[in-house]
Amino acid sequence: MAKSDKTAKAGKKADGKKAGKADKADKAARKAAAAAPAPAKAKETLVSPLAPARFPDLPVIEGVEFAAASAGIKYQGRTDVMLVRLAPGTAIAGAFTRSSTRAACVLDCQDKLKGAQDSAGGAAIIVNSGNANAFTGAEGQRSVDRVTGAIAKALGVPARRVFSSSTGVIGEPLPAQRIVDVTEALAASLRPDGIADAARAIMTTDTFPKGASAEIAGDGGPIRIAGIAKGSGMIAPDMATMLVYLFTDAAIAPPLLQRMLSGQMDETFNAITVDSDTSTSDALILAATGRSPAAPIADLRSKVARDFVAALKGVMLDLAQQVVRDGEGATKFVEVQVTGATSVADAHKVAMAIANSPLVKTAIAGEDANWGRVVAAVGKSGAAADRDRLSIRFGDMVLAENGWRAPTYDEAAASAYMKGDSLVIGVDLGLGRGARTVWTCDLTHRYIDINADYRS
């Protein structure tokens, strides 16, 4: 037999083996999808009393298109997958949970954002709710590859530029085939004004979709920012159980975009808490399409850059506070202001100790002006504190100062204040200039109801 014939025969054999492996993988994926639990009927959800009146009118961001579909990941008849297509030239930045049990999609996104970005081929984001694809072993990454591969093929973008997120139940294999099966329908329904539907598709225990936007004057034209988020429970610093997607038409290089995003995290998404629990799946992706008529932003010291960062922070804070307002079972929105700490880090410790205290949060739920629980939270925080320099206020009322109850303390007035649905707890440590503000909500029996049967 001629050498060329042997080579051809060997090539066919190798191709056959590859095809066989692909067939086996495909069969295994379809078998897993068939074995996945049938979608349940979606439960009725009571909208949070702290919800905004309506979803905001968000501007179209040039270079961004959205689609949503129902794949039956967990519930029947509920949109649970959203797709975003990003134009060629889009820069991407991200922030993710620091959990040591991060989900496969988080690890995949972090890997794809390492090093220089090749943005020539565009990008995409695919998100599902109902299943976190976390703690699912090697199968978790295979599911990510299967889903992102299908999106890459449908949209004609590089697989390394397809970013995925999953949110929902931990420890159950992702029925990836159900997402693959709606890929073509998603691709066919992409449209620039579909952001509201996308916001609804990523909800889990959320009671309302969350959106925010801003616009600034750039050099040569307007620059717009729009964002959506999901989050309601397992909300604590290092991103919380949140998925956040921010879009801007600004032209900003990836390294600078990442610096802008990272610099705003501590005072926005890392300054909120509902229940002190951090999730496996938290992700924030910021995409800059460069389609604004304004000149590119290249210098952080420029006025446009400063204006952009301020607007970006405003959108991030708006979304973060909406997450708290949708805290599972929440009836009160609470701002905790800490001043006079020896450092910002100590101020943050004290603020979070108060915001996460079950005793403080249940007192707020019961409209009990029990400021002694705030004293206890300060004491356990681990931050430097001096009893005789400490002061506490609810709203404008000083309840304690100089180490004991204030002479002007009025129990009736304090109790009346607690009946409001937006409260401020202020603590001054009297030791330095460190300050931090965080946001939380009360803790009600409804939180237990929601989480006691989350998987059923």
Side-chain angles (χ1 to χ4, degrees), residues 49-308:
L50 305 173
R54 55 187 289 274
F55 189 80
D57 293 324
L58 301 183
V60 167
I61 304 297
E62 292 296 328
V64 187
E65 298 171 284
F66 302 88
S70 177
I73 302 297
K74 184 177 180 182
Y75 296 117
Q76 295 176 351
R78 172 172 163 176
T79 54
D80 53 9
V81 180
M82 79 99 163
L83 174 65
V84 182
R85 177 163 61 189
L86 300 164
T90 297
I92 306 286
F96 304 91
T97 179
R98 297 178 190 175
S99 169
S100 58
T101 54
R102 295 190 293 283
C105 50
V106 172
L107 295 171
D108 187 67
C109 285
Q110 290 178 311
D111 177 67
K112 288 174 177 176
L113 285 175
K114 287 179 181 176
Q117 292 185 27
D118 181 1
S119 62
I125 303 168
I126 180 73
V127 187
N128 75 268
S129 60
N131 184 302
N133 193 22
F135 210 73
T136 49
E139 183 59 35
Q141 184 60 51
R142 285 193 288 270
S143 293
V144 169
D145 291 342
R146 187 170 176 79
V147 169
T148 57
I151 296 299
K153 182 179 178 181
L155 300 185
V157 301
R160 279 197 62 82
R161 292 284 286 173
V162 180
F163 303 89
S164 70
S165 301
S166 296
T167 181
V169 175
I170 294 170
E172 294 184 4
L174 178 70
Q177 186 60 40
R178 294 179 187 172
I179 303 174
V180 173
D181 287 344
V182 299
T183 296
E184 293 298 331
L186 284 166
S189 59
L190 285 161
R191 66 183 204 272
D193 61 348
I195 193 168
D197 290 339
R200 293 182 180 90
I202 62 177
M203 292 166 56
T204 50
T205 58
D206 303 58
T207 70
F208 63 89
K210 301 162 183 67
S213 66
E215 181 177 316
I216 67 164
D219 290 334
I223 293 174
R224 298 181 176 91
I225 305 170
I228 57 175
K230 68 80 53 181
S232 186
M234 284 182 87
I235 300 298
D238 292 341
M239 280 298 296
T241 303
M242 293 180 296
L243 297 181
V244 184
Y245 305 98
L246 304 172
F247 309 97
T248 178
D249 54 8
I252 307 172
L256 184 58
L257 190 69
Q258 186 64 57
R259 286 179 63 187
M260 289 174 163
L261 174 63
S262 298
Q264 311 315 308
M265 291 299 297
D266 282 348
E267 294 185 51
T268 58
F269 290 111
N270 285 339
I272 63 171
T273 181
V274 167
D275 50 18
S276 81
D277 277 328
T278 297
S279 173
T280 60
S281 309
D282 318 324
L284 186 160
I285 294 176
L286 168 60
T289 67
R291 297 303 177 96
S292 167
I297 299 175
D299 184 353
L300 270 175
R301 297 166 297 181
S302 69
K303 181 181 184 305
V304 173
R306 294 196 305 270
D307 289 346
F308 178 84

